[in-house]
Amino acid sequence: MRKISSREQSVGQVVSLLQTTDMATCSSCESNYFKIIATFYGDNSRALDYLISHGVISSGSSRIPCPKCGTFLSFREQDHLFICRSTFTIPKTKKRRNCGFSASQFKGSFLSNCHFAPWKLVLLVNHYLSRHWDYKTIQDCLGLSPNTVCDWRSFCSEVTEQWFSNQDPIRGVGVEVEVDETLIVRRKYERGRVLNQVWLFGGIEPASKRHFVVPLNSEYGSRRDAETLIPIIQKFVRPGSIIYSDSWPAYRKLSELGYGHHAFNHKKHFVKPGEPEVNTQRVERLWRDIKEWVKRPGICSRYL
């Protein structure tokens, strides 16, 4: 195991302070795709202010003590660098020496090791969040290399996955949730080469549009039985909620686990007779949107 140097330990302490100092959160930010482009294209100053206000990086006004001498660090704006300007006396020679500690404003943040302008990163993430990601568009419009675009799209995916795994369950007594499973890859008319099947399981709360989508793979299990689906429901939906589903046998035990449960036999009807508002149409629409978004020519099933 590589030994961590004292400088790396000092930088790590500053990173921890940077991540907990003046960090704001985004509560209700309303921006559309084209407004983001018009606002930040070519404007580094505005992009940095936006990132600071949303807690992505620390502001230059943060008061952070030097981990070596305890003096508050100064901020050099043109270099985006926190530096220590204090001096100390060497006992033997009586000479003065600068502390010399420094740490980047971006250290430990999403912009760490980012070698292109912050406004380009804002627009890259903006494009990533759209439904029509295109590598060629980012390369041509932002002047980034193919490897850079590929790497940063992967970084965005990692952050999204972490956010997804840490989100709070759909909660509330009486909250309605529609659940269903779907096969995202299949052969048309049972012809052609055999494809790897990719099953998705998910649910949506119609009132708030909050939803969860889980691939049935080795992490959760690949079978669509109660041993696989019930723990997923318990993770993403709090007991007391009312669950609407089809009549798949795996859902039969939900009423015994503290959930209200209404099942539909889709061979007979998709809407509860006499109660048209009770249905699973929203989750079916969710599947349609996901398939329209992710199913593209040439994409490997393992990446879906």
Side-chain angles (χ1 to χ4, degrees):
M1 181 179 295
R2 184 176 70 88
K3 186 177 180 180
I4 299 176
S5 67
S6 58
R7 172 168 176 78
E8 289 176 316
Q9 292 176 349
S10 299
V11 171
Q13 295 173 21
V14 172
V15 168
S16 299
L17 288 168
L18 288 174
Q19 292 173 338
T20 57
T21 305
D22 292 344
M23 286 296 160
T25 56
C26 180
S27 55
S28 58
C29 197
E30 295 290 342
S31 293
N32 61 46
Y33 180 79
F34 293 105
K35 184 178 179 180
I36 288 286
I37 295 174
T39 302
F40 298 108
Y41 188 89
D43 195 334
N44 257 342
S45 178
R46 184 171 289 182
L48 287 171
D49 290 342
Y50 181 80
L51 294 170
I52 290 171
S53 67
H54 286 75
V56 180
I57 58 176
S58 177
S59 69
S61 60
S62 303
R63 290 178 60 80
I64 301 172
C66 174
K68 293 178 66 176
C69 65
T71 305
F72 285 111
L73 299 175
S74 301
F75 182 66
R76 195 158 64 196
E77 186 173 0
Q78 64 272 23
D79 298 322
H80 307 290
L81 197 67
F82 287 95
I83 58 175
C84 181
R85 300 184 184 276
S86 66
T87 60
F88 61 92
T89 303
I90 301 175
K92 290 185 178 180
T93 62
K94 304 300 181 180
K95 292 183 178 180
R96 303 287 296 176
R97 177 175 292 182
N98 294 327
C99 175
F101 179 83
S102 63
S104 171
Q105 182 185 16
F106 305 147
K107 188 72 176 180
S109 72
F110 189 62
L111 277 73
S112 183
N113 296 322
C114 179
H115 301 298
F116 52 90
W119 69 265
K120 293 185 178 182
L121 181 59
V122 172
L123 297 191
L124 185 147
V125 174
N126 178 52
H127 189 66
Y128 168 78
L129 293 173
S130 72
R131 290 192 174 193
H132 305 289
W133 170 267
D134 180 63
Y135 286 96
K136 189 66 174 173
T137 299
I138 292 296
Q139 292 172 34
D140 294 344
C141 296
L142 299 183
L144 303 177
S145 70
N147 289 341
T148 299
V149 176
C150 184
D151 287 344
W152 279 93
R153 190 189 188 283
S154 297
F155 299 155
C156 291
S157 297
E158 291 170 4
V159 172
T160 307
E161 185 176 1
Q162 183 181 14
W163 165 82
F164 173 76
S165 61
N166 293 333
Q167 67 176 333
D168 293 330
I170 298 174
R171 66 180 68 190
V173 176
V175 172
E176 298 176 343
V177 182
E178 301 174 12
V179 300
D180 193 25
E181 68 283 339
T182 188
L183 181 61
I184 200 170
V185 175
R186 70 175 74 199
R187 292 188 298 169
K188 194 171 184 178
Y189 307 123
E190 300 299 324
R191 297 177 182 176
R193 62 187 177 88
V194 177
L195 302 172
N196 293 327
Q197 291 189 341
V198 179
W199 282 94
L200 298 180
F201 175 70
I204 183 170
E205 179 190 349
S208 67
K209 306 301 182 184
R210 289 190 60 195
H211 54 271
F212 65 92
V213 178
V214 176
L216 297 181
N217 53 23
S218 56
E219 180 181 355
Y220 294 96
S222 56
R223 299 173 62 87
R224 294 179 295 122
D225 54 12
E227 287 72 19
T228 300
L229 301 185
I230 295 297
I232 297 175
I233 292 175
Q234 291 176 319
K235 178 179 179 180
F236 291 101
V237 183
R238 290 283 176 85
S241 304
I242 301 173
I243 295 179
Y244 300 141
S245 73
D246 57 23
S247 54
W248 186 249
Y251 303 125
R252 290 176 181 172
K253 295 183 179 180
L254 284 174
S255 57
E256 303 173 9
L257 300 173
Y259 298 96
H261 184 217
H262 297 278
F264 305 91
N265 187 344
H266 285 175
K267 291 183 178 180
K268 297 181 179 179
H269 48 75
F270 288 89
V271 177
K272 187 174 182 179
E275 297 183 49
E277 69 280 358
V278 179
N279 56 69
T280 57
Q281 297 302 297
R282 286 88 166 184
V283 72
E284 296 292 346
R285 172 59 187 265
L286 176 63
W287 296 144
R288 193 188 80 173
D289 290 343
I290 289 177
K291 291 176 181 179
E292 181 183 278
W293 184 29
V294 302
K295 291 177 70 174
R296 298 185 297 273
I299 190 169
C300 297
S301 60
R302 67 178 179 273
Y303 296 132
L304 287 175

